Amino acid sequence: AAAALTREGGEDAFRRLFRFYRQRDASDLRGVVDFSAPGGQVFRSQLSISSVSDQDAYRAGLRPVSQWKAYGLSGYPGFIFIPNPFLPGCQRHWVKQCLKLYPEKPNVCNLDLHMAPEKTTDLWGQSKEQLRRKGSSKREPRSLLEKLRWVTLGYHYNWNTKKYSANHHTPFPSDLAFLSEQVAAACGFRGFQAQAGILNYYHFDSSLGIHVDESELDHSRPLLSFSFGQSSIFLLGGLKREEAPTAMFMHSGDIMVMSGFSRLLYHAVPRVLPNPEGTALPSCFDQAFSSDLPVGSVIEHSSDEDWQVCAKYLQSSRINMTIRQVLAEGQKFPEESGTNGKGQAPSEDSHHENNKAKRHKPDTV
């Protein structure tokens, strides 16, 4: 069925495939590229092994780059897919940061739009006991962490103007900057500067609408995407929405790099899928990381108590971090008139689609 939709082409072929994979009963996933069993349009991609020392890889919680596998897709120059290169247990650090640290002020999240500042200062503290006790009933009230849809870091994206501003900036997390710099360097982009991040928090009824990431002033630098938790289908299209996209699976720990021609292609996430291993959490979360972390590691040990909260959250959720360099070296933002640069965002869920929220517009992201 997906192949037939692809062959139709014509007006907004991307939208047709988005709707197909969005359907809750879309059982035909044979056409979805699986990088754990590459073939067809998938080919091995070369990495810049000498650009990242084994020590720096370890410090970021990554295996040596010589042990990574990287793939490209025919027809998508500049697209690189790296199946889970993280050391055992190290994904736990990034999940905890996305749930416990990164949503904290001065960073910005969707809950800030309709809640008083004092109500959003400790989402983790307000949610952890409720999450830990959470059962399987859908009638249970959602914790604040479960209501989280997005967090912005560094240069904060203005959802209304679709721009970044020099006037709306907070310090970018140093651990995430270091991770991003190592991954970018391994893909041939030495000197990458992590300047802005958008974290998306998905549940099984969430999706991410059809869009292009073009607001950054420097498109010569790649966009990095990190996924943790449940799996998803990712659609990568062309320069126009009339071009049918390629569907691919993204699993926990997988990294995507969009650069060059692929940097400005339409893409979307129509669906979040349960872990294909059939267990509540992917097996990559089974192991805690080694107790002897290298000197200068950005990975921190998390307590069993903290991980219990994270694990309960991930049983029905997926977290995605997209990291961007906004400005080229020495580049500055253009002068803005009549604005304070503060990033006003849209309604809480407008970055996602949700079956229960008909107001969502997946093509306006």
Side-chain angles (χ1 to χ4, degrees), residues 204-232:
F204 283 132
D205 59 354
S206 303
S207 62
L208 178 66
I210 306 165
H211 69 286
V212 176
D213 291 294
E214 58 186 356
S215 299
E216 297 74 26
L217 275 64
D218 179 20
H219 295 153
S220 69
R221 310 303 275 171
L223 183 145
L224 312 180
S225 172
F226 302 86
S227 288
F228 305 107
Q230 301 299 322
S231 298
S232 70

Side-chain angles (χ1 to χ4, degrees), residues 170-184:
T170 56
F172 194 92
S174 58
D175 57 348
L176 184 51
F178 185 77
L179 169 69
S180 303
E181 289 159 10
Q182 308 319 306
V183 171

Side-chain angles (χ1 to χ4, degrees), residues 33-39 41-47 68-74 76 78-84 187 255-257:
V33 174
D34 189 346
F35 288 96
S36 65
Q41 68 188 107
V42 176
F43 60 88
R44 286 296 293 266
S45 183
Q46 295 299 311
L47 294 169
W68 299 8
K69 293 181 179 178
Y71 300 98
L73 276 175
S74 298
Y76 297 96
F79 176 79
I80 304 171
F81 192 102
I82 305 169
N84 183 14
C187 294
I255 300 174
M256 287 193 316
V257 179

Side-chain angles (χ1 to χ4, degrees), residues 8 10 19 39 47 75 86 128 188 190 275 296 304 312-313 363:
E8 282 184 26
R19 287 176 174 165
L47 294 169
F86 289 92
K128 60 182 182 180
R190 298 186 73 164
N275 166 34
D304 290 340
K312 183 59 72 85
Y313 177 89
D363 56 344

